Amino acid sequence: MVNIEIPHPYTTSPSAPYGTPHLTINHQAGLDLDSSNAFEGPEKLLEVWFSPSADELPTAAALNGLKCVPAEVWQEMLDIVNCKVLSTVRSDHVDAYLLSESSMFVFPHKLILKTCGTTTLLSGLPRILEIAALSARFPHVAANLLKSVPAAATPYRVFYSRKNFLFPDKQRGPHRSWPDEVRYLDKIFRGGSAYMVGKMNGEHWYLYLTEPNTSLTPPLTPDHKRGSTIDTETKILSIPSGPGTEGTEMIQTHDETLEILMTDLDQQNAKQFYLEHASAVAENQEMNNNKTAANELGSILAEENCLGVEDCFDIISNTLADGNEQTKNIGNKLLGELSTEGHALGTVVAKSCGLSNLYPTSRYPGARIDAYLFSPCGFSANGVIPAPERINGSGTTHYFTVHVTPEPHCSYASFETNVPGRHTGRDTALIVEDVVGIFHPGRFSVTLFEAKFESFVLGTQRTPLQASSPMRLSAAKRSTRMDCIRGYRRVDKIVHDFDGYDLVFRYYERNDWKGGEPRLGENNF
């Protein structure tokens, strides 16, 4: 079951006719997004796991884990991050929060927070650990009020990643540079590892992750000397590498995250993510719907009164034009609301750009999309995708999220999903082609972060040959197919083996691309 709601108090939404019932709007939350200046589209992405899966919650944890936390508690944390909740899609397995700056997904066992602009995402991390400890009752280190140290749950694993910023000088708090972010995370977690994936002088991606069963860094003592700690070194992964030996633990449940980060969007195509363009599309749809309804009504009257359809249509038109000001006022009011309604226009854009077809309801009957169009431009959407019953009888629910900054001087779009490729019936390359076909980027990177397959089956250790089939072979096929994305050439490819995960990073440029070198924005090495 999926329920769509939004925090109080908000206004009534006219979105219901467009397939998003019970969704209401926070108009104020979108007003502070200033699109007249350069906007930092690339997001900061944080995943905090408190157990390996939703089926393995600690005994002491709340029955539904993090999902038991009230929405107002999450909003208090998001105030620290500097973003607001626009709306929420709730399901049995995940709650998807659409934010004024990107998205948050809350599962029983983990939280995913993705924010753009100048948000201070990592500043909210201590509060997330405290909420997990006090509200969700995960195992934790007790608070020390004398030292002003809050309670903090001990995570299972933590992942933090982002693309290189385009405008690093505009960032705040711990996000002014990658070394600053690493130092901040090291103060909270022990044994973290930091990586830069990609070319130092080209498009690259940063990653910080902890080992399974993460431990927290003890608070500093009063006599601790400033500067006596050793910063985690950022390892640079810039050449293709095969399987490594950085750990042997295997994740028991399949976990797969696909992230597509796109820049230099085609300017003509990007107009569909502007308020003015979307309003025109919505008004045309409304006029066509009204005309269809009038024709249907005319047919009914003609059948009942033996009049011609054209005569009936004239009667209806004349009535609306001459004698029914109330009807005209209602119509004008609806069009006026529609032209300024972020969620209504977001739904229009999701359909017209093709986003709704990525995971269609014909194949995923319980799928829901929550979309928002900002003023004067900018687009965000969350998707909640229940797994088909033929794949998973328990009804596991996955997500996708999309965010678009269409202005030419800082154009950017991102797509992220954890829907496993085997659930879609399409290989990863086809999904990538569908996504880039919506946004038409000049260049983009693809990161596929995939849990390793189990080493043991029914207690028997698998041989290298067994471990390579059949799922390993399908992964190899996906790898080969990903080298040939229609309309683009692959410029870079990096493969790395982490503890429990395989990472494949690829960077592409359009075949006819003549836009010059990437805009680095930052270069800390």
Side-chain angles (χ1 to χ4, degrees):
M1 178 180 179
V2 176
N3 177 47
I4 303 178
E5 61 183 44
I6 194 164
H8 297 289
Y10 297 111
T11 61
T12 301
S13 168
S15 306
Y18 291 88
T20 52
H22 313 302
L23 184 62
T24 51
I25 306 304
N26 178 1
H27 290 280
Q28 189 62 36
L31 296 181
D32 295 331
L33 181 59
D34 182 5
S35 298
S36 60
N37 297 312
F39 183 78
E40 187 68 73
E43 302 97 343
K44 314 165 184 84
L45 174 60
L46 175 69
E47 285 197 31
V48 186
W49 294 54
F50 294 95
S51 68
S53 72
D55 297 328
E56 300 177 67
L57 297 181
T59 305
L63 180 62
N64 214 10
L66 296 173
K67 275 176 55 61
C68 76
V69 178
E72 55 268 22
V73 175
W74 290 127
Q75 182 58 70
E76 291 172 4
M77 180 274 295
L78 292 170
D79 287 341
I80 301 172
V81 177
N82 293 301
C83 58
K84 299 293 184 183
V85 176
L86 297 175
S87 53
T88 309
V89 177
R90 297 191 181 276
S91 72
D92 293 339
H93 304 95
V94 59
D95 296 336
Y97 293 79
L98 192 64
L99 307 179
S100 55
E101 280 84 8
S102 300
S103 302
M104 180 173 73
F105 299 90
V106 179
F107 297 79
H109 64 298
K110 67 179 179 180
L111 176 141
I112 300 172
L113 180 57
K114 187 171 191 173
T115 66
C116 58
T118 57
T119 51
T120 51
L121 184 151
L122 289 180
S123 296
L125 180 54
R127 179 61 178 141
I128 291 173
L129 299 179
E130 185 180 30
I131 291 171
L134 302 182
S135 297
R137 303 198 301 275
F138 281 95
H140 61 276
V141 176
N144 187 331
L145 300 181
L146 294 178
K147 295 183 179 180
S148 299
V149 177
T154 52
Y156 172 70
R157 292 201 80 163
V158 177
F159 305 85
Y160 174 70
S161 63
R162 65 171 176 84
K163 182 186 178 297
N164 53 298
F165 288 136
L166 298 177
F167 310 102
D169 56 308
K170 297 182 180 294
Q171 293 299 318
R172 298 177 291 174
H175 297 289
R176 291 185 174 88
S177 72
W178 177 248
D180 286 349
E181 291 170 314
V182 172
R183 278 191 289 270
Y184 186 90
L185 290 163
D186 280 346
K187 289 179 181 178
I188 302 176
F189 306 115
R190 278 180 169 176
S193 299
Y195 300 86
M196 189 189 82
V197 185
K199 295 180 178 179
M200 295 174 62
N201 60 345
E203 294 283 352
H204 52 270
W205 183 75
Y206 296 107
L207 172 66
Y208 182 99
L209 74 165
T210 65
E211 298 176 350
N213 300 308
T214 301
S215 58
L216 302 177
T217 301
L220 300 180
T221 58
D223 59 350
H224 183 85
K225 295 181 180 179
R226 181 181 297 273
S228 62
T229 58
I230 300 176
D231 293 339
T232 296
E233 177 187 0
T234 296
K235 302 174 184 177
I236 300 175
L237 309 180
S238 57
I239 59 174
S241 57
T245 57
E246 294 194 19
T248 57
E249 175 166 338
M250 299 299 170
I251 305 301
Q252 297 302 308
T253 56
H254 189 74
D255 177 41
E256 176 182 323
T257 301
L258 173 69
E259 189 174 33
I260 307 172
L261 308 180
M262 298 162 276
T263 59
D264 303 284
L265 309 183
D266 178 81
Q267 294 184 27
Q268 188 65 30
N269 183 71
K271 289 181 179 179
Q272 61 189 317
F273 303 108
Y274 281 76
L275 178 67
E276 182 178 2
H277 183 278
S279 297
V281 172
E283 290 177 7
N284 287 336
Q285 290 182 357
E286 184 73 12
M287 292 175 62
N288 290 334
N289 291 340
N290 289 341
K291 186 174 181 179
T292 300
N295 283 331
E296 291 176 353
L297 179 59
S299 298
I300 294 172
L301 292 176
E303 183 176 343
E304 291 183 353
N305 299 305
C306 299
L307 293 173
V309 174
E310 293 183 0
D311 293 333
C312 289
F313 187 78
D314 288 340
I315 292 172
I316 296 168
S317 301
N318 291 334
T319 301
L320 291 175
D322 300 329
N324 196 335
E325 288 297 323
Q326 182 180 5
T327 301
K328 286 199 296 183
N329 290 336
I330 291 174
N332 290 336
K333 181 175 183 294
L334 286 174
L335 286 175
E337 288 179 345
L338 186 63
S339 66
T340 58
E341 182 58 87
H343 280 91
L345 288 177
T347 303
V348 169
V349 172
K351 291 181 179 180
S352 62
C353 76
L355 183 62
S356 299
N357 295 327
L358 286 179
Y359 302 102
T361 54
S362 59
R363 186 177 181 86
Y364 304 89
R368 296 289 184 274
I369 296 180
D370 179 14
Y372 193 95
L373 185 72
F374 293 89
S375 176
C377 64
F379 174 78
S380 288
N382 285 341
V384 175
I385 315 295
E389 288 298 322
R390 64 178 179 80
I391 298 291
N392 190 337
S394 64
T396 301
T397 301
H398 299 95
Y399 73 89
F400 76 81
T401 183
V402 170
H403 303 284
V404 185
T405 302
E407 298 94 321
H409 58 290
C410 55
S411 65
Y412 172 84
S414 69
F415 172 86
E416 178 189 340
T417 185
N418 72 338
V419 178
R422 68 182 189 276
H423 285 197
T424 65
R426 298 174 290 170
D427 63 24
T428 303
L430 287 177
I431 297 172
V432 172
E433 288 181 347
D434 288 344
V435 171
V436 299
I438 292 173
F439 300 105
H440 299 182
R443 41 196 165 195
F444 66 94
S445 64
V446 176
T447 304
L448 181 61
F449 212 54
E450 191 171 15
K452 291 184 173 72
F453 300 106
E454 296 177 2
S455 292
F456 297 88
V457 178
L458 299 178
T460 303
Q461 188 168 3
R462 304 175 76 189
T463 67
L465 180 60
Q466 289 172 327
S468 68
S469 63
M471 299 183 76
R472 278 295 184 188
L473 288 178
S474 66
K477 290 179 180 177
R478 288 203 307 273
S479 175
T480 302
R481 176 68 177 84
M482 281 290 293
D483 289 338
C484 304
I485 299 300
R486 186 173 58 250
Y488 292 84
R489 62 185 182 91
R490 181 180 60 76
V491 177
D492 205 2
K493 176 182 177 181
I494 298 168
V495 182
H496 196 74
D497 179 19
F498 293 105
D499 189 352
Y501 283 87
D502 292 323
L503 168 69
V504 184
F505 171 89
R506 297 176 177 89
Y507 169 65
Y508 303 82
E509 291 183 354
R510 201 170 59 228
N511 288 336
D512 62 350
W513 177 249
K514 297 185 175 76
E517 296 297 321
R519 292 173 294 178
L520 293 182
E522 64 178 319
N523 191 346
N524 299 304
F525 301 96

